[in-house]
Amino acid sequence: QVQLVESGGGLVQPGGSLRLSCAASESIFSFYVMGWYRQAPGKQRELVASITITGNRNYRDSVKGRFCISRDNAKNTVYLQMDSLRSEDTAVYYCNGGGLGGSWGQGTQVTVSS
């Protein structure tokens, strides 16, 4: 199974930015769709953004205009650029390849707080 490793999380003030990276152990061409999910304490895991192999992107409403997902097939890496961060964006962010039944990373903590 393809291994996914996230990085780039941390503590940031409201209004700040972070860039998450997800490095895959094999070619991400094996995944038609890759996505970023997040899970806040006491809440269900939710899809934040996804990108298909053809470059089609989808975002949950609360992050539209603030987050941008991209993929670099040559580097087997998917990114999530997060700008104008809010406290409600605080969560563990997970990289996913292939949907809910696919491959998952271990997660990276994002904390937005002053």
Side-chain angles (χ1 to χ4, degrees), residues 13-30:
Q13 293 186 343
S17 298
L18 283 174
R19 188 194 196 202
L20 305 184
S21 298
C22 171
S25 59
E26 300 175 18
S27 173
I28 59 175
F29 273 119
S30 62

Side-chain angles (χ1 to χ4, degrees), residues 16-114:
S17 298
L18 283 174
R19 188 194 196 202
L20 305 184
S21 298
C22 171
S25 59
E26 300 175 18
S27 173
I28 59 175
F29 273 119
S30 62
F31 299 123
Y32 175 75
V33 60
M34 295 200 71
W36 286 94
Y37 289 72
R38 67 186 180 189
Q39 188 167 19
K43 295 188 177 182
Q44 289 188 330
R45 191 172 296 190
E46 60 186 22
L47 177 63
V48 177
S50 64
I51 184 168
T52 68
I53 198 170
T54 56
N56 290 325
R57 297 171 170 85
N58 280 294
Y59 301 92
R60 68 180 304 104
D61 287 345
S62 63
V63 307
K64 285 181 179 177
R66 300 189 297 122
F67 290 12
C68 180
I69 187 171
S70 61
R71 60 192 290 168
D72 186 332
N73 295 325
K75 295 183 178 180
N76 295 328
T77 302
V78 177
Y79 304 97
L80 184 67
Q81 177 67 41
M82 305 186 295
D83 298 321
S84 302
L85 282 161
R86 306 168 180 168
S87 58
E88 54 263 40
D89 296 317
T90 294
V92 178
Y93 283 70
Y94 297 90
C95 179
N96 168 266
L100 294 179
S103 298
W104 292 89
Q106 82 288 350
T108 185
Q109 177 70 47
V110 171
T111 302
V112 185
S113 175
S114 57

